Amino acid sequence: MLKKDTTILLTGVTGLIGGELVRRLMHCPVGRILCLIRPGTIGDARARLLERLRLSDVELDDPAIECIEAVTGDVALPRFGMNDADFAKVSESVDLIVHCASELSFIRDAHCRETNIQGMHNLIDLARRCKRQPRIVHLSTVASCGAVTHQCMSEEDGSDPDNEHHNEYTRTKAVAEKVLRDSGYPALILRPSITLSAGLRARRFARAIAWFVPLLRHFEAIPIDPASRVDVVPVGFVADAIVELLKKEKLEYDCYNISAGEQDAMVVGEVSQFLDGFYERPQPLKLIAPSEWTREKHRQYISTAECRKMFSTLKYYLPFLNMDVVYDNTRLRRELGDAFPVITPVREYLGELLNLVEDAAQRLSSPRQTATA
């Protein structure tokens, strides 16, 4: 798919995965990378693009940046909200659309529907208007399978909007996949698992998922099965795998899990032991399987107003920690062969992420930092 004269339209560039893709694609044999970006509080689309590249330690005087161009737009709007000049440029030249834009919130249901579902309708409409009939590469999520438990899920098992879902985010991602498939438009669907910002020094990406981990210090016990497996991967693995797939002229399948799989998934109990040492807990955190978490235990361990408040924020994450589901990556391993990227174990970078989370929390609570923000 990637050639020296390929023009790519990339959405979700200011996000974790999208930004890392830009950093890698700018050094690939491509023609242009058009980055669709909403203007924000720090400035226009170009300013936001440069800020995202800084977060990945990209040297802004790197000549490779010349192939990158910011385009102002919004995936939730028709024609992606582009002005006439930008729409003409995109529709005339784009060969490949890599769609990373997504609303990730577990609580902003309306925004999930607007960005994830309506955004997909807008994407298909835009692609059909393009002269070169660009191929769509859509980043979905392994969690689009819904509230399943105790399984290793293959690509054929995943993405079902009719399943029970823990939140609207995963349901809308499943609906978006269905919209894309039902359209009949040629597409490659990629499903990353939980992606952590290993190797990036950006506090906001570290906090995006790991923000709740420091709260665990305040509990003596929580309802999590210590034997539960969680499929977690570093962002470098995800971005490298995507680029390697894009480099291939022909792929065997049209859908791939980009995941840790059974071989590299983390086990909650092992991570908990790491956290006991990292936070120097005097007593290890007790992990109690949800089936054994009785009302009496809840009253015993969630006994103060402060604990109840913190526990209420954890409820969005507990189902995912207890699913005990991993996502088979056999397809990806076979497809990439020796180019299959290394999956760094969580314990090797979790401490660094948690230090960033703590640093960010201290900055947010500092009156001086708040006043100058």
Side-chain angles (χ1 to χ4, degrees):
M1 283 180 274
L2 294 183
K3 299 179 181 179
K4 291 182 179 180
D5 59 349
T6 300
T7 296
I8 303 171
L9 176 64
L10 182 62
T11 72
V13 173
T14 59
L16 176 59
I17 296 175
E20 290 304 290
L21 279 179
V22 173
R23 182 163 73 91
R24 286 158 173 78
L25 288 171
M26 62 188 273
H27 293 288
C28 288
V30 298
R32 283 192 302 170
I33 305 170
L34 304 178
C35 299
L36 189 85
I37 302 175
R38 289 181 299 180
T41 55
I42 69 166
D44 60 13
R46 177 67 177 176
R48 295 194 68 203
L49 171 61
L50 295 178
E51 176 60 25
R52 177 59 187 89
L53 293 176
R54 289 190 191 96
L55 294 179
S56 293
D57 293 328
V58 173
E59 297 292 337
L60 299 186
D61 58 355
D62 187 334
I65 287 182
E66 294 180 5
C67 73
I68 305 173
E69 181 179 343
V71 175
T72 301
D74 186 337
V75 299
L77 300 175
R79 295 197 330 181
F80 277 3
M82 290 181 283
N83 61 35
D84 290 343
D86 285 337
F87 175 73
K89 175 169 51 184
V90 167
S91 61
E92 290 281 343
S93 65
V94 166
D95 303 289
L96 179 67
I97 303 176
V98 181
H99 185 50
C100 300
S102 181
E103 173 59 65
L104 306 174
S105 174
F106 286 4
I107 58 176
R108 301 173 66 187
D109 293 355
H111 287 276
C112 285
R113 291 187 289 271
E114 182 181 62
T115 300
N116 300 341
I117 300 177
Q118 186 56 50
M120 178 56 70
H121 285 289
N122 295 337
L123 169 63
I124 296 166
D125 179 66
L126 175 65
R128 293 193 190 281
R129 291 172 178 237
C130 292
K131 287 191 175 182
R132 300 189 182 185
Q133 294 187 313
R135 187 171 187 183
I136 292 174
V137 177
H138 170 53
L139 263 67
S140 183
T141 172
V142 292
S144 61
C145 61
V148 298
T149 56
H150 309 301
Q151 295 184 49
C152 178
M153 305 286 290
S154 71
E155 287 84 352
E156 297 301 323
D157 299 324
S159 192
D160 189 344
D162 295 325
N163 273 353
E164 178 185 353
H165 283 258
H166 292 303
N167 54 52
E168 190 68 350
Y169 161 65
T170 64
R171 192 193 73 82
T172 56
K173 294 295 282 187
V175 172
E177 274 199 44
K178 186 175 187 304
V179 169
L180 180 55
R181 290 196 179 279
D182 289 349
S183 75
Y185 196 90
L188 171 65
I189 295 174
L190 305 178
R191 297 178 185 149
S193 56
I194 298 172
T195 304
L196 297 180
S197 58
L200 295 183
R201 293 177 291 177
R203 299 179 186 90
R204 72 180 179 95
F205 290 138
R207 284 178 55 82
I209 292 180
W211 66 268
F212 75 92
V213 177
L215 298 181
L216 301 179
R217 289 177 295 176
H218 301 279
F219 296 94
E220 183 181 345
I222 51 175
I224 297 179
D225 185 349
S228 179
R229 300 162 299 168
V230 182
D231 202 307
V232 177
V233 290
V235 66
F237 165 76
V238 175
D240 287 339
I242 293 172
V243 171
E244 290 300 328
L245 288 172
L246 295 182
K247 287 179 180 178
K248 296 179 72 70
E249 186 173 342
K250 186 177 180 181
L251 297 173
E252 185 175 355
Y253 299 98
D254 65 0
C255 181
Y256 293 86
N257 291 335
I258 303 182
S259 56
E262 291 187 298
Q263 181 174 331
D264 293 296
M266 77 176 197
V267 178
V268 173
E270 295 175 359
V271 175
S272 180
Q273 291 176 6
F274 168 85
L275 294 176
D276 287 339
F278 182 82
Y279 288 122
E280 299 180 342
R281 291 179 60 103
Q283 295 294 329
L285 176 66
K286 297 178 183 178
L287 301 181
I288 300 175
S291 60
E292 301 174 10
W293 185 263
T294 61
R295 290 184 178 180
E296 290 74 18
K297 282 187 170 62
H298 189 88
R299 286 195 293 266
Q300 176 184 355
Y301 295 120
I302 316 298
S303 58
T304 67
E306 182 182 12
C307 277
R308 287 191 291 272
K309 182 178 180 180
M310 287 187 290
F311 188 82
S312 69
T313 67
L314 295 177
K315 66 181 180 182
Y316 301 105
Y317 284 79
L318 291 178
F320 293 94
L321 293 173
N322 282 310
M323 284 173 65
D324 186 34
V325 173
V326 296
Y327 303 90
D328 184 51
N329 61 19
T330 302
R331 275 189 189 181
L332 185 66
R333 287 182 179 274
R334 264 202 319 258
E335 189 70 68
L336 297 185
D338 292 340
F340 185 86
V342 173
I343 303 176
T344 306
V346 176
R347 62 181 178 275
E348 292 188 15
Y349 58 82
L350 183 56
E352 180 181 345
L353 290 183
L354 293 178
N355 284 331
L356 287 171
V357 171
E358 296 283 5
D359 187 28
Q362 291 172 6
R363 285 170 174 265
L364 288 172
S365 63
S366 167
R368 178 175 299 177
Q369 291 292 338
T370 303
T372 58

